Amino acid sequence: MNDTDVLVIGAGPSGLTLAASLVSKGITTTVVDRQAAGANTSRAAVVNARTLEVLDGLDVSRRLVKEGVQAPRFTIRDGRRVLIPVDFSALPTEYPYSLMVPQATTERLLLDRLTELGGTVIRPKTLTSLAQDADGVTATFDDGDTIRARYVVGADGMHSTVREQAGIGFEGGAYEESFTLADVRLRGEAPVDEVILFWAKAGLTVVAPLPGDIFRIVAPVPEAPEEPSAEFIQQLLDERGFGAGRMVVTDIIWGSRFRIHHRVADTYRAGRLLLAGDAAHVHSPAGGQGMNLGIQDGVALADALAAVLGGAPDSVLDDYSAARRPIAQGVVEMTDRLTRLATLPRAARSFRNAVFGVAGRVPAVQRALALRLSGLVNR
Ligand SMILES: Cc1cc2nc3c(=O)[nH]c(=O)nc-3n(C[C@H](O)[C@H](O)[C@H](O)COP(=O)(O)OP(=O)(O)OC[C@H]3O[C@@H](n4cnc5c(N)ncnc54)[C@H](O)[C@@H]3O)c2cc1C
């Protein structure tokens, strides 16, 4: 006898989206997370158009839009020079912009919706092992409890226990450099309606607006400090941004460091075990895609599970894996290219700037990039 139809491990953005979608379809769902409370560190800052489209059905998009700021432009620059301008405002969507909102807000709104629909998250509760049989899966937790479910989804992040227990490989590698991340207040030239990816000699740097006159700075550096100081971020912006003194850090609100991997799971399904989000794919934050992919996985997997639980053949779950995995591979390749193109040697940089300076003016190139960054290419 199963306790629940679907057991979701992990209440990050992917798990919360999946759970809310399942509950909204009337499917018995249990969600657990090993943390006592939702994380308030803010990693993802960009919610793209496709994510807003898929969250529309859950009635979450209008709440997100209320709390975020809209950035209809994305540019790749070398200093002040725009190499590739990307304009989202002409895209065929109700959401022709990147919505800039801290990940903690996105998670709060998803949790609110899950709760409204009658769902809940059991925490702290840590999955330790899984055993599948013909009728279901037995999940065992660190407190000795067990839960029986027809299907278990690993939305448990990069170090996924579900992926490990399923014996699914996670091919790829790690970037050598660590990434520094800071939320700051700026005086000077930083635009409030544009996300900028600077390709600088010392490495790429992202400057993105957030609500409350805050800017998010993300940059790979050889040894990121545990907590970056205002001086450290100022030096980064002077070296990699518009030029010395053009963006001035007046206040540092929060900062951290991360190591980033680029990996994709060999498959998203092993029998009754499924993967979604960072458990299935991780990559460079350049392009702001990770959380977006995870949320979109969540909605797609909820549809597939609802179909199978409603009597469709269980090959629908293989279709989920077959459809979503190549999308993640494409994103890993794109973000890897954006990351590596930033750090070419000087001679190659002038060549790169010449090539992209020309290609970046071609409307078809701009539109192709707009469709990929907005996620609309995966409709
Ligand atoms: C520096 C940085 C910047 C980023 N910027 C962006 C951006 O701008 N846009 C974007 O889209 N993405 C961005 N990302 C990526 C984004 O943060 C992740 O893709 C996103 O958090 C993945 O969500 P998730 O729900 O799949 O996994 P997670 O957020 O990792 O959540 C997994 C959850 O599972 C729980 N868990 C883990 N193991 C267990 C267990 N054994 N038992 C129970 N619970 C468990 C954890 O406690 C956690 O709550 C960025 C990432 C980094 C590091």
Side-chain angles (χ1 to χ4, degrees), residues 8-16 32-35 37-39 42-48 100 103 107 123 125-128 141 154-162 179-181 216 218 257-260 276-295:
V8 180
I9 310 295
S14 311
L16 289 170
V32 303
D33 197 289
R34 73 171 169 208
Q35 288 182 320
S42 197
R43 292 178 287 162
V46 180
V47 176
N48 70 23
M100 309 306 299
Q103 182 165 335
E107 290 186 24
R123 51 167 87 227
K125 203 167 188 65
T126 303
L127 175 79
T128 52
F141 296 88
D156 48 350
M158 174 171 153
H159 303 286
S160 169
T161 305
V162 176
F179 281 68
T180 197
L181 186 152
R216 158 68 49 86
V218 184
R257 66 175 169 195
F258 294 90
R259 282 217 170 261
I260 312 270
D278 275 19
H281 44 73
V282 287
H283 49 79
S284 160
Q289 297 291 306
M291 182 185 73
N292 288 288
L293 269 191
I295 289 175

Side-chain angles (χ1 to χ4, degrees), residues 2 131-137 148 150-151 272:
N2 291 316
Q132 344 187 21
D133 53 54
D135 306 316
V137 187
R148 277 286 291 175
R150 289 176 73 182
Y151 293 96
R272 293 177 174 279

Side-chain angles (χ1 to χ4, degrees), residues 42-280:
S42 197
R43 292 178 287 162
V46 180
V47 176
N48 70 23
R50 183 61 191 146
T51 297
L52 290 167
E53 286 184 351
V54 301
L55 287 179
D56 218 11
L58 267 181
D59 193 27
V60 172
S61 302
R62 78 183 162 85
R63 307 171 196 218
L64 273 166
V65 169
K66 237 189 252 168
E67 300 222 18
V69 293
Q70 299 177 14
R73 280 187 303 147
F74 172 88
T75 54
I76 298 181
R77 296 169 181 257
D78 184 347
R80 298 172 70 74
R81 180 170 173 207
V82 175
L83 298 177
I84 308 183
V86 178
D87 181 8
F88 298 114
S89 64
L91 288 177
T93 174
E94 221 181 296
Y95 307 100
Y97 45 80
S98 300
L99 186 73
M100 309 306 299
V101 57
Q103 182 165 335
T105 305
T106 305
E107 290 186 24
R108 172 172 53 78
L109 294 176
L110 287 167
L111 178 62
D112 285 354
R113 186 62 185 132
L114 173 66
T115 312
E116 260 176 36
L117 288 163
T120 177
V121 178
I122 304 171
R123 51 167 87 227
K125 203 167 188 65
T126 303
L127 175 79
T128 52
S129 67
L130 292 167
Q132 344 187 21
D133 53 54
D135 306 316
V137 187
T138 303
T140 305
F141 296 88
D142 58 343
D143 53 7
D145 267 5
T146 57
I147 296 179
R148 277 286 291 175
R150 289 176 73 182
Y151 293 96
V152 173
V153 179
D156 48 350
M158 174 171 153
H159 303 286
S160 169
T161 305
V162 176
R163 191 186 62 238
E164 230 173 74
Q165 291 284 307
I168 297 173
F170 202 36
E171 287 298 309
Y175 288 104
E176 254 172 49
E177 295 165 297
S178 48
F179 281 68
T180 197
L181 186 152
D183 287 350
V184 301
R185 284 188 212 282
L186 291 178
R187 192 159 38 75
E189 290 183 18
V192 295
D193 58 352
E194 179 178 331
V195 176
I196 305 176
L197 197 158
F198 288 102
W199 274 346
K201 191 174 78 184
L204 72 81
T205 297
V206 177
V207 177
L210 278 172
D213 297 321
I214 292 169
F215 288 85
R216 158 68 49 86
I217 316 292
V218 184
V221 292
E223 262 323 314
E226 201 174 328
E227 281 182 31
S229 62
E231 294 70 31
F232 181 83
I233 299 297
Q234 184 64 58
Q235 199 184 340
L236 265 181
L237 292 177
D238 286 347
E239 282 175 13
R240 305 185 184 190
F242 287 130
R246 292 186 179 274
M247 286 185 274
V248 179
V249 179
T250 56
D251 194 10
I252 187 147
I253 290 154
W254 179 80
S256 186
R257 66 175 169 195
F258 294 90
R259 282 217 170 261
I260 312 270
H261 292 242
H262 44 94
R263 297 177 187 276
V264 179
D266 295 345
T267 171
Y268 287 13
R269 179 187 183 198
R272 293 177 174 279
L273 310 182
L274 294 129
L275 300 178
D278 275 19

